[in-house]
Amino acid sequence: MTRRYPIGIQTFSEVVRGGYVYVDKTDLVWQLAHYSKYIFLSRPRRFGKSLLSSTLASYFRGEKELFRGLRIMELEQEWKQYPVLHFDLSGAKHLPVELTKTELGLQLEQMERIYGANPEEASPGMRLGGLIRRSYEKTGRQAVVIIDEYDAPLLDVLHDDLRLHEVRELMQEFYQRLKMLEPYIRFCFITGITKFSQLSIFSTINNLTNVTMDRRFAAICGITEQELSTTLREDVELLAAENDTTPQDMHQRLKRQYDGYRFSEAPVDIYNPFSLLKAFQQSKVANFWFESGTPTFLIRQMQKFNTDIMSLENLEVPSSAFDQPTENMEDALPLLYQSGYLTIKDYDRETDIYQLSMPNQEVRTGYVRGLLPAYAGLNSTDVQMGFAFKFWRALRKGDVDLAMREMQAYLAGVPYVEGFKQKLADAATAEGFYEYTMYLIFSMLNVYARTQVKCARGRIDMVVWMPEAIYVFELKTGATAQQALEQIDQKGYAIPYQTDGRRVVKVGVMFNVDTRTPEEWAVKE
C-alpha cells in the first residue's frame, strides 16, 4: 500500500483517521499538558505547530479513540472532557486592523453557537471572556484555550509603527482576558514564530511559561535522528530505491539537506518535518521549505538593520542576543533565529555563549536565493540560467580553469548595481567584497561554502565542499594568484581536510578591482 504523508494536513483527527504517516509525539503532548497552566512555544513556520495545537485540542476534548496505540495511552487514565476554545490566527495575515478584528469575530462566532453569546460584549476580548465563563457554566469544567499562529497579524506590520501599534492594541485587549479569568481556565497554549515582549502584547499574562528552549520539549515539533531511523526507516528506504542509491547514502543526503535545527542547550538535532515528508512524497531531495519564498517581514528587517548575510555562518552570542522580544530588536538576529534561518550549533555552559549558524543546505540555498535580489540587485533565476549550471558542471569535472573562466565571463557582464557598490564600500578589504560575491554564487548552486574559516594559523578566505572534492580558496586584489596559492601552503590551510577522503584542491585567485572579475588563478592539488 502506498504510504500517505500528511502534507498540509494540520488536524490530528484527519491524520489518524486518514491513515497518514504519523510520528508519535503524544507522550510529549501529555507532558506539556501537565507541565504548566499557561504555556508559550515558538517554532519556525511549517514545523508542525498547528498539528501540535490540534493534538492538544483532541486530548482535552477527551477523544480517546484517536489515541489508541499511541504512547499517551500509557500515561493518561482519566480522559476528562473539557470545553476547548481553539483559535487559528493564520487567516489574519496581511489584513488591516479592522479586518483582523472581523477575522477574530468570525472565529468567536463559531464557538458562541455552542456556548452562547451576549450582545453587550462589544470587543473581541469581551467576547472571549464571555465564552470562557459560559463554557464553564454550561459544562461545569474549566475551559482550554489554544491560540495557534498568534503573531500572524503582527509580522507583516513590523516595519510600520502605526499599523503595528493598532494591531498590537487589538490583540492585547483580546489576550488580557486570559489572566483575568484564570479560575475558569484549565490550560492555555499559545504558539507562533516569534517572541513578542510580555510588556506589550502579553502585558497582562505575566504568568506565561515559555518552553521554546526547554530541553524537555526540544523534540515536540520536527523529526529527530532516532525517529528517522525507526518510524520513518521504511520511507528512507523507499526514497533511496526511487533515486538508485543506498538507504545509508540517502540518510546522509537527508541529513545534510534538512537536519541541523536545535531548540535548546541539549544536543538534540531536529529535521524540518515539512521538507522531509515532502521529499518522501515527491521521491526527491529538493528545497521545499522555500516554495513560498523568503518571508517579506524577514527581508525588511534585515534591510533595516543592514544585516551582513555572510556573517550568519558562524556566530558566537550570549542568550540575550538572539532571544530578544521581537519588537525590541536591535538587529535582525533574534528574528533570524526565531524564524529558523539560524539555529543553535553549540553551547558553552560556563560562559553562557551560544554558537549559531544556518541549520542545513536547504536553508542556506533558499536564504541566498530569497535575498539575492534585495541585497545585490540580481535575479536568482537569471543567475542560475545564465551562469550557474556551467560553473557547477566545470567544478564537478574538476576543471577549475573552465569554472573560473565561466565566472570571469559572467561577472564581466553583470551591471555594477547599487547593492554591490554598497557592499564594496562596506567591506573591510576588497577581498572581503569578492568573498561575498563568491559566497552568493556557490550558495545559489546548492553548494556548501563558508568564508573566513578558522584554522591553526589564520583564517581561510573560503572553503567549498563538493561531492568529489573540497576547494580551498585564497582571494587577493593586491597580490598575484601564485602568491595567494603559496599562502595556502605556507599557512597549512588545506591540512584540516586531507583526511576527508575527497580530493583537496587549492585555488589562488587574483581579482581586478576595476573590472570586478577574477583576472588570474592558480590551482594545485
Side-chain angles (χ1 to χ4, degrees), residues 8-113:
I9 298 175
Q10 302 172 344
T11 306
F12 178 67
S13 59
E14 186 175 349
V15 171
V16 173
R17 290 171 178 151
Y20 291 93
V21 171
Y22 178 67
V23 177
D24 188 357
K25 303 277 188 181
T26 56
D27 54 334
L28 293 176
V29 170
W30 188 89
Q31 292 174 36
L32 189 71
H34 293 81
Y35 182 62
S36 182
K37 189 167 188 173
Y38 291 82
I39 287 181
F40 172 78
L41 173 72
S42 167
R43 284 293 183 269
R45 63 192 177 103
R46 293 179 168 175
F47 256 78
K49 299 185 298 297
S50 296
L51 179 58
L52 172 61
S53 299
S54 176
T55 307
L56 281 164
S58 289
Y59 165 68
F60 279 109
R61 289 191 188 108
E63 296 172 344
K64 182 178 179 179
E65 71 282 358
L66 294 177
F67 295 88
R68 296 196 183 279
L70 299 178
R71 293 172 185 162
I72 198 171
M73 298 301 291
E74 300 175 5
L75 301 169
E76 182 57 57
Q77 303 299 322
E78 297 182 333
W79 290 100
K80 290 182 180 179
Q81 296 179 340
Y82 296 89
V84 175
L85 308 178
H86 187 182
F87 297 88
D88 178 0
L89 300 189
S90 61
K93 291 177 182 176
H94 317 299
L95 296 181
V97 66
E98 284 304 317
L99 290 182
T100 300
K101 186 175 181 180
T102 301
E103 174 64 26
L104 280 174
L106 291 172
Q107 296 195 34
L108 287 162
E109 184 179 348
Q110 293 177 8
M111 299 171 215
E112 288 168 341
R113 291 172 188 162

Side-chain angles (χ1 to χ4, degrees), residues 305-496:
F305 294 114
N306 296 316
T307 305
D308 180 357
I309 67 173
M310 284 199 309
S311 68
L312 307 184
E313 289 290 358
N314 190 13
L315 294 170
E316 292 183 345
V317 298
S319 58
S320 59
F322 67 94
D323 195 30
Q324 302 168 29
T326 304
E327 70 271 51
N328 295 335
M329 290 187 301
E330 297 176 356
D331 55 51
L333 192 149
L335 194 56
L336 284 162
Y337 171 75
Q338 294 164 12
S339 301
Y341 292 79
L342 287 176
T343 196
I344 299 168
K345 287 300 180 182
D346 202 2
Y347 174 68
D348 187 322
R349 189 178 298 275
E350 291 186 6
T351 61
D352 191 33
I353 294 295
Y354 290 84
Q355 181 182 335
L356 305 182
S357 184
M358 293 187 197
N360 51 49
Q361 189 59 47
E362 180 183 45
V363 171
R364 185 174 292 104
T365 303
Y367 166 81
V368 171
R369 288 179 183 173
L371 295 176
L372 200 61
Y375 270 70
L378 297 178
N379 183 287
S380 59
T381 303
D382 291 343
V383 174
Q384 287 180 288
M385 297 297 291
F387 156 69
F389 178 69
K390 296 177 183 177
F391 182 78
W392 178 86
R393 185 170 57 186
L395 277 187
R396 282 297 301 266
K397 292 179 177 178
D399 193 338
V400 180
D401 182 66
L402 177 58
M404 294 306 298
R405 282 191 279 116
E406 294 286 1
M407 180 185 289
Q408 184 184 54
Y410 174 71
L411 291 179
V414 171
Y416 195 25
V417 296
E418 203 59 40
F420 279 112
K421 287 182 181 178
Q422 185 61 47
K423 181 52 68 174
L424 183 56
D426 292 345
T429 64
E431 286 93 342
F433 167 69
Y434 294 113
E435 286 174 18
Y436 170 82
T437 304
M438 291 184 68
Y439 173 82
L440 288 176
I441 290 171
F442 281 114
S443 296
M444 279 293 301
L445 294 166
N446 203 20
V447 171
Y448 181 37
R450 284 190 55 192
T451 62
Q452 292 298 303
V453 181
K454 293 180 181 179
C455 66
R457 300 182 61 187
R459 291 176 181 263
I460 310 167
D461 282 345
M462 177 169 287
V463 181
V464 177
W465 285 262
M466 295 282 285
E468 297 84 9
I470 296 175
Y471 293 88
V472 179
F473 283 89
E474 181 65 26
L475 313 179
K476 297 292 184 184
T477 57
T480 66
Q482 186 59 40
Q483 288 172 321
L485 190 62
E486 290 170 359
Q487 181 174 325
I488 295 174
D489 284 334
Q490 290 169 359
K491 296 198 173 184
Y493 288 165
I495 293 174

